[in-house]
Amino acid sequence: MSPAIETTNLTRDFGKFRAVNQLNLRVEAGRFYGFLGPNGAGKSTTIKMFTGLLAPSGGSMRILGEDLSDPRRALEVKRRIGVVPENLALFDNLTAREHLTFIGRMYLLPPATIRARCDELLAMMDLAHEEKKLTLEFSHGMKKKLALAAALIPNPDLLFLDEPFEGVDAVASRVLRDTLKQCVGRGATVFLTSHVLEIVEKLCSDVGIIARGELVHQGTMEELRRDGSSLEDKFLAVVGNGEAEAQKLSWLEA
């Protein structure tokens, strides 16, 4: 079976700034992959390349075994992926059901399938009682749940999640975690970025760490545990250059 994601020297420049530098990444199908890094490390830029929103400046990548540089193959890949982007990308003036229906139609799902999946997703995400409320009236947590529902409606083989737990309360977080576990359990691949290391450590089977646009660690959580290290220890060790050193305020010195 081909890996879900495979890159060779993948690079992205913005003018003279190199956001992603010769990334060599491999994510096996059916795995829960945590992609970590400090702010500005290149995580969101990488996801945008994987989902076809940004073209690489150099190198190559294969998503679900296909080369995204071929427009025809790229369209087929996009029909098999779901995305929760960093900015959520929701339609403010639609209700939750209208939004999910629109997304289902974009994926060319049959009307009966869209209706059935909308019913299940709205119930699972505790949004069924908000049928008449527009998305712009939703709380941040409700928007996160709707964005995940939209990513799930096509039943994707590969799910990209950019900070899905940011600003989400404990109840919504539990729903999201259980849903993602169910996705992986049925064979989908999940590619997750998050600053919440505890969640990544509990959920993910594999982890990659990027710093200053370069991959500085890649391995399984099982290997990390055998080494006796926590994910936080590994993250702080490989990010390096004293970035993790806590700075002390002079007026708080004893």
Side-chain angles (χ1 to χ4, degrees):
M1 181 182 293
S2 299
I5 303 170
E6 188 172 26
T7 72
T8 303
N9 297 328
L10 188 66
T11 300
R12 174 66 198 199
D13 297 327
F14 294 96
K16 295 182 179 180
F17 174 68
R18 176 153 292 184
V20 177
N21 185 30
Q22 297 190 356
L23 187 70
N24 291 292
L25 193 68
R26 184 182 176 94
V27 180
E28 299 296 340
R31 305 291 284 180
F32 202 136
Y33 193 96
F35 192 52
L36 309 178
N39 291 327
K43 303 184 299 297
S44 294
T45 298
T46 300
I47 285 184
K48 287 176 181 177
M49 287 192 285
F50 288 166
T51 54
L53 295 176
L54 282 177
S57 302
S60 63
M61 60 182 176
R62 299 185 73 85
I63 307 298
L64 296 174
E66 300 288 354
D67 184 354
L68 289 193
S69 64
D70 181 340
R72 291 170 299 179
R73 303 313 304 160
L75 183 59
E76 290 302 315
V77 169
K78 289 176 182 179
R79 289 180 176 141
R80 298 172 59 196
I81 67 174
V83 186
V84 177
E86 185 180 26
N87 60 1
L88 299 183
L90 301 175
F91 297 101
D92 286 345
N93 293 315
L94 296 181
T95 66
R97 182 176 292 275
E98 289 170 342
H99 183 85
L100 294 180
T101 299
F102 174 76
I103 298 298
R105 292 176 66 185
M106 291 298 98
Y107 278 94
L108 305 180
L109 297 177
T113 300
I114 294 174
R115 286 193 297 272
R117 291 183 182 178
C118 279
D119 289 342
E120 289 189 47
L121 286 165
L122 291 172
M124 183 185 68
M125 297 296 179
D126 195 27
L127 295 174
H129 62 291
E130 304 288 1
E131 286 279 345
K132 296 182 180 180
K133 185 179 287 188
L134 297 179
T135 303
L136 62 85
E137 302 175 83
F138 280 10
S139 68
H140 184 71
M142 291 166 66
K143 289 180 179 180
K144 286 277 186 175
K145 290 191 288 185
L146 178 57
L148 180 59
L152 291 173
I153 198 167
N155 192 22
D157 295 318
L158 176 57
L159 190 57
F160 291 102
L161 308 172
D162 198 347
E163 295 290 352
F165 296 99
E166 184 181 18
V168 172
D169 65 36
V171 175
S173 178
R174 180 63 178 268
V175 171
L176 298 183
R177 293 200 311 269
D178 289 348
T179 303
L180 296 177
K181 287 179 182 178
Q182 187 178 10
C183 288
V184 175
R186 66 102 180 148
T189 306
V190 175
F191 188 89
L192 164 75
T193 76
S194 178
H195 289 299
V196 187
L197 299 185
E198 294 84 358
I199 288 178
V200 174
E201 195 160 14
K202 288 179 180 178
L203 287 178
C204 295
S205 56
D206 303 78
V207 64
I209 302 175
I210 187 174
R212 297 170 293 279
E214 298 183 356
L215 190 68
V216 292
H217 172 78
Q218 182 170 225
T220 68
M221 286 302 305
E222 184 179 346
E223 291 168 344
L224 199 62
R225 294 186 185 104
R226 282 203 303 266
D227 292 341
S229 299
S230 70
L231 182 57
E232 182 181 42
D233 291 338
K234 173 60 72 173
F235 182 86
L236 296 179
V238 299
V239 167
N241 290 336
E243 294 175 24
E245 291 296 324
Q247 299 298 312
K248 296 181 180 179
L249 298 174
S250 60
W251 62 90
L252 296 182
E253 295 280 354

